[in-house]
Amino acid sequence: AHQVMPVRRRSWNHSGFVVGDGERAFHAVLPEPTDTPVAVVFQFHGLGDTTDNFKQAFTPNPNDPDWPVVVITPTSRQLMPWSDPVGLEWEMFGGPDNGEIAMVQAVLGCLARDYTLDRAHLHALGFSAGAIQTNLVHSAMPEVFASTLAWSGAWFNDPEQVDGVNVPDTFPIAFDWPDLEPPRDPVGGALLLTRGGEADTFDLLGQPLIDFDASVQLAVPFLLDAGRTVVECVHDRGHQPHPDVFSDDVIAAFFQDHPADAPSPWVDDGLPGALGSSCTVHTPE
């Protein structure tokens, strides 16, 4: 059933949002009612983080007359490899009945009752486990999410990246991501990936689990082969968001410049000044 969202409040926490047989929670930043189609950005936090903290990752003006935007920061179910369903903060290992995908679809459906959604500007971003979840959202809904931003993530529909995950024998995890289908529009959208050098790694229970720097390097050719334009940004501060990409202005510029139905202007016009020294635009052949 449709759940009415109060559109006159700019920022609010919502719990008890029914998705399937369960309930989910999220923080929402909403524009005032407008005749202009609104963009939507989902942002997924990393392992051990909270919605209240990560809602500060991207805080644009929701009532920007040129780009009104809804920002949704979901609350994870704090999943672990030994939980049911299996996950790592998010249900990020995939599966046909993935709860995170169902939650995103339900929120979009509800928003569409109160707003006219700008279908060319539905985006997602995330860090670490949240970056992997962001990549899963793109993989499961490529016709919906054209442009996404992942700080230190991986793609588990790429066998080479899966082979790089050091899964403990006590936690037999099945990676079940959909194949990466062609993009919604051959010339639209882009993916921004960041990596933090040799210290951009993550351990689980004292055991190395994943090298994000290596995963992102593998992701670039994998995504190019799938027809995506990729902006790769490199820093040397380890497992944290890229400092030049962790700003409202840069995130907004990336999403605004990369709708689903237009080529990347960054290919011909160059990168914004803040990104020029650490980022590279890769285009498919």
Side-chain angles (χ1 to χ4, degrees), residues 13 23 119 191 216 265:
N13 291 305
E23 295 183 352
R119 296 291 176 174
L191 307 176
V216 173

mmCIF file with all atom_site columns, all heavy atoms in Angstrom, residues 13 23 119 191 216 265:
data_model
loop_
_atom_site.group_PDB
_atom_site.id
_atom_site.type_symbol
_atom_site.label_atom_id
_atom_site.label_alt_id
_atom_site.label_comp_id
_atom_site.label_asym_id
_atom_site.label_entity_id
_atom_site.label_seq_id
_atom_site.pdbx_PDB_ins_code
_atom_site.Cartn_x
_atom_site.Cartn_y
_atom_site.Cartn_z
_atom_site.occupancy
_atom_site.B_iso_or_equiv
_atom_site.pdbx_formal_charge
_atom_site.auth_seq_id
_atom_site.auth_comp_id
_atom_site.auth_asym_id
_atom_site.auth_atom_id
_atom_site.pdbx_PDB_model_num
ATOM 1  N N   . ASN A 1 13  ? 13.171 11.501 9.580   1.00 0.00 ? 13  ASN A N   1
ATOM 2  C CA  . ASN A 1 13  ? 13.457 10.080 9.676   1.00 0.00 ? 13  ASN A CA  1
ATOM 3  C C   . ASN A 1 13  ? 12.150 9.308  9.548   1.00 0.00 ? 13  ASN A C   1
ATOM 4  O O   . ASN A 1 13  ? 11.143 9.683  10.154  1.00 0.00 ? 13  ASN A O   1
ATOM 5  C CB  . ASN A 1 13  ? 14.109 9.747  11.021  1.00 0.00 ? 13  ASN A CB  1
ATOM 6  C CG  . ASN A 1 13  ? 15.506 10.307 11.136  1.00 0.00 ? 13  ASN A CG  1
ATOM 7  O OD1 . ASN A 1 13  ? 16.356 10.040 10.298  1.00 0.00 ? 13  ASN A OD1 1
ATOM 8  N ND2 . ASN A 1 13  ? 15.752 11.089 12.172  1.00 0.00 ? 13  ASN A ND2 1
ATOM 9  N N   . GLU A 1 23  ? 9.941  -4.452 7.530   1.00 0.00 ? 23  GLU A N   1
ATOM 10 C CA  . GLU A 1 23  ? 9.906  -3.003 7.651   1.00 0.00 ? 23  GLU A CA  1
ATOM 11 C C   . GLU A 1 23  ? 11.320 -2.453 7.519   1.00 0.00 ? 23  GLU A C   1
ATOM 12 O O   . GLU A 1 23  ? 12.282 -3.069 7.986   1.00 0.00 ? 23  GLU A O   1
ATOM 13 C CB  . GLU A 1 23  ? 9.304  -2.569 8.997   1.00 0.00 ? 23  GLU A CB  1
ATOM 14 C CG  . GLU A 1 23  ? 7.842  -2.953 9.156   1.00 0.00 ? 23  GLU A CG  1
ATOM 15 C CD  . GLU A 1 23  ? 7.253  -2.445 10.469  1.00 0.00 ? 23  GLU A CD  1
ATOM 16 O OE1 . GLU A 1 23  ? 8.039  -1.938 11.314  1.00 0.00 ? 23  GLU A OE1 1
ATOM 17 O OE2 . GLU A 1 23  ? 6.027  -2.545 10.647  1.00 0.00 ? 23  GLU A OE2 1
ATOM 18 N N   . ARG A 1 119 ? 13.325 11.012 -14.494 1.00 0.00 ? 119 ARG A N   1
ATOM 19 C CA  . ARG A 1 119 ? 13.812 9.648  -14.741 1.00 0.00 ? 119 ARG A CA  1
ATOM 20 C C   . ARG A 1 119 ? 15.222 9.627  -15.318 1.00 0.00 ? 119 ARG A C   1
ATOM 21 O O   . ARG A 1 119 ? 15.861 8.571  -15.332 1.00 0.00 ? 119 ARG A O   1
ATOM 22 C CB  . ARG A 1 119 ? 12.850 8.926  -15.675 1.00 0.00 ? 119 ARG A CB  1
ATOM 23 C CG  . ARG A 1 119 ? 11.454 8.726  -15.072 1.00 0.00 ? 119 ARG A CG  1
ATOM 24 C CD  . ARG A 1 119 ? 11.474 7.735  -13.932 1.00 0.00 ? 119 ARG A CD  1
ATOM 25 N NE  . ARG A 1 119 ? 10.173 7.588  -13.280 1.00 0.00 ? 119 ARG A NE  1
ATOM 26 C CZ  . ARG A 1 119 ? 9.905  6.704  -12.332 1.00 0.00 ? 119 ARG A CZ  1
ATOM 27 N NH1 . ARG A 1 119 ? 10.872 5.876  -11.915 1.00 0.00 ? 119 ARG A NH1 1
ATOM 28 N NH2 . ARG A 1 119 ? 8.711  6.637  -11.776 1.00 0.00 ? 119 ARG A NH2 1
ATOM 29 N N   . LEU A 1 191 ? 29.884 6.289  -14.481 1.00 0.00 ? 191 LEU A N   1
ATOM 30 C CA  . LEU A 1 191 ? 30.163 5.772  -13.150 1.00 0.00 ? 191 LEU A CA  1
ATOM 31 C C   . LEU A 1 191 ? 31.438 6.419  -12.637 1.00 0.00 ? 191 LEU A C   1
ATOM 32 O O   . LEU A 1 191 ? 32.454 6.433  -13.340 1.00 0.00 ? 191 LEU A O   1
ATOM 33 C CB  . LEU A 1 191 ? 30.319 4.252  -13.192 1.00 0.00 ? 191 LEU A CB  1
ATOM 34 C CG  . LEU A 1 191 ? 29.170 3.484  -13.847 1.00 0.00 ? 191 LEU A CG  1
ATOM 35 C CD1 . LEU A 1 191 ? 29.492 2.004  -13.907 1.00 0.00 ? 191 LEU A CD1 1
ATOM 36 C CD2 . LEU A 1 191 ? 27.871 3.718  -13.110 1.00 0.00 ? 191 LEU A CD2 1
ATOM 37 N N   . VAL A 1 216 ? 38.964 -1.772 -7.722  1.00 0.00 ? 216 VAL A N   1
ATOM 38 C CA  . VAL A 1 216 ? 38.601 -0.663 -8.603  1.00 0.00 ? 216 VAL A CA  1
ATOM 39 C C   . VAL A 1 216 ? 39.425 -0.705 -9.890  1.00 0.00 ? 216 VAL A C   1
ATOM 40 O O   . VAL A 1 216 ? 38.915 -0.432 -10.982 1.00 0.00 ? 216 VAL A O   1
ATOM 41 C CB  . VAL A 1 216 ? 38.755 0.688  -7.868  1.00 0.00 ? 216 VAL A CB  1
ATOM 42 C CG1 . VAL A 1 216 ? 38.553 1.852  -8.839  1.00 0.00 ? 216 VAL A CG1 1
ATOM 43 C CG2 . VAL A 1 216 ? 37.764 0.785  -6.720  1.00 0.00 ? 216 VAL A CG2 1
ATOM 44 N N   . PRO A 1 265 ? 29.773 15.195 -20.672 1.00 0.00 ? 265 PRO A N   1
ATOM 45 C CA  . PRO A 1 265 ? 30.490 16.386 -21.146 1.00 0.00 ? 265 PRO A CA  1
ATOM 46 C C   . PRO A 1 265 ? 31.940 16.405 -20.678 1.00 0.00 ? 265 PRO A C   1
ATOM 47 O O   . PRO A 1 265 ? 32.755 17.160 -21.218 1.00 0.00 ? 265 PRO A O   1
ATOM 48 C CB  . PRO A 1 265 ? 29.683 17.541 -20.547 1.00 0.00 ? 265 PRO A CB  1
ATOM 49 C CG  . PRO A 1 265 ? 29.071 16.968 -19.311 1.00 0.00 ? 265 PRO A CG  1
ATOM 50 C CD  . PRO A 1 265 ? 28.766 15.534 -19.650 1.00 0.00 ? 265 PRO A CD  1
#
